[in-house]
Amino acid sequence: MPEICISITKVQVGHVLGKGACTLRAIQDRTGAKLEILDEGPQVKITADDAAQVAAARAEVQKIVAQQENPDYEGPEGALLRKEANNLGHKRSTLFDEATKRREAGDHESANKLVALAKQAGEDMQACHRKAAAAIARYNNEEKGKGEDFFDMHGLRLEEAMEMLKARMARLEEKPEGTMTEFELIPGAGHHSAPGAQKLKGATLEYVASKGYAYEEVNAGTLLVKVPGLGEGVLSKPEDGDKAPVKPKQSDKAAARKSASKSCCVCM
């Protein structure tokens, strides 16, 4: 019986397994090979009835490993919009610098025109970043078949990710009172972040703690949060996008429910 072993890192074990080993099982179903994670190494052991099945499974595992080593968190549309936004930011800075030079030279009229152009470039940059964030969130979530109980925040800036997190959690809170949703959050562990930029996980933990919801750290970059349905009516609509919702004034009963929910313990 053909057999091979592929060496992987401890971080990659989780990617090969997937949630509840769903990724590993899917590879087995597609290829007909049997996959086993060995602690020694660690390694992925692949066995099958014929070499073609082993080769197919190996290709899928190697693809997962390659994606983990060189992850694409933005997707083609998001990457293009981010690049456009960054170019607009560079244009804005250049215009402001030139405006300063003109003003110092006594050409105030020309300087004022450049300042106006710089401000417009800044507004265009912010709009482009918002479009990029929406595209990136779709790429990492909806376009990968994920539902409302899952949110991968990779590729998003801190402010963007937190605004979307609040909106998505609010929609889960709209569910009938007494229901409970296990919300899988992936702020990441910061392995691919620049030094000093690993702030998203901390901000996510702080927000979840402020809600008083029980949660579990599945691994270095994944949280499972238990979000109770509060039955408070419509706070936001999916078609509105991931904008932080503006909640209506709570009734005394609704406020009491939320206060009670904050008594949940936090599991580590």
Side-chain angles (χ1 to χ4, degrees), residues 49-212:
D49 293 331
D50 62 66
Q53 292 174 316
V54 170
R58 177 176 60 187
E60 294 213 25
V61 171
Q62 289 175 333
K63 182 179 179 181
I64 292 172
V65 170
Q67 289 174 338
Q68 193 279 324
E69 291 176 343
N70 300 287
D72 175 13
Y73 292 138
E74 296 184 334
E77 183 184 3
L80 186 64
L81 287 166
R82 280 289 194 224
K83 183 178 180 180
E84 183 179 345
N86 290 333
N87 288 339
L88 285 166
H90 177 71
K91 177 181 178 181
R92 173 179 175 273
S93 297
T94 300
L95 287 167
F96 272 130
D97 289 343
E98 184 61 27
T100 299
K101 293 177 182 178
R102 298 284 181 90
R103 196 177 302 281
E104 290 174 348
D107 188 353
H108 296 284
E109 182 179 354
S110 177
N112 290 338
K113 290 180 180 179
L114 289 172
V115 167
L117 290 173
K119 289 181 178 179
Q120 183 59 56
E123 292 176 5
D124 293 343
M125 175 190 69
Q126 293 299 330
C128 204
H129 273 309
R130 287 192 292 271
K131 291 179 181 178
I136 290 168
R138 284 195 304 272
Y139 175 75
N140 288 319
N141 294 278
E142 286 78 10
E143 291 181 12
K144 294 184 178 178
K146 303 300 183 180
E148 63 179 4
D149 59 350
F150 179 93
F151 184 33
D152 187 341
M153 294 181 261
H154 279 105
L156 297 171
R157 296 182 171 192
L158 177 61
E159 296 79 7
E160 297 166 347
M162 295 310 297
E163 182 178 22
M164 291 183 181
L165 170 60
K166 292 173 183 178
R168 290 177 180 231
M169 191 171 286
R171 288 201 288 270
L172 295 178
E173 292 171 339
E174 293 167 9
K175 292 188 175 184
E177 185 177 5
T179 61
M180 184 72 71
T181 302
E182 194 171 72
F183 190 20
E184 183 175 359
L185 296 178
I186 305 182
H191 295 308
H192 299 282
S193 300
Q198 303 94 333
K199 299 178 180 179
L200 184 52
K201 182 181 177 181
T204 302
L205 285 168
E206 183 178 350
Y207 178 68
V208 171
S210 74
K211 300 289 287 186

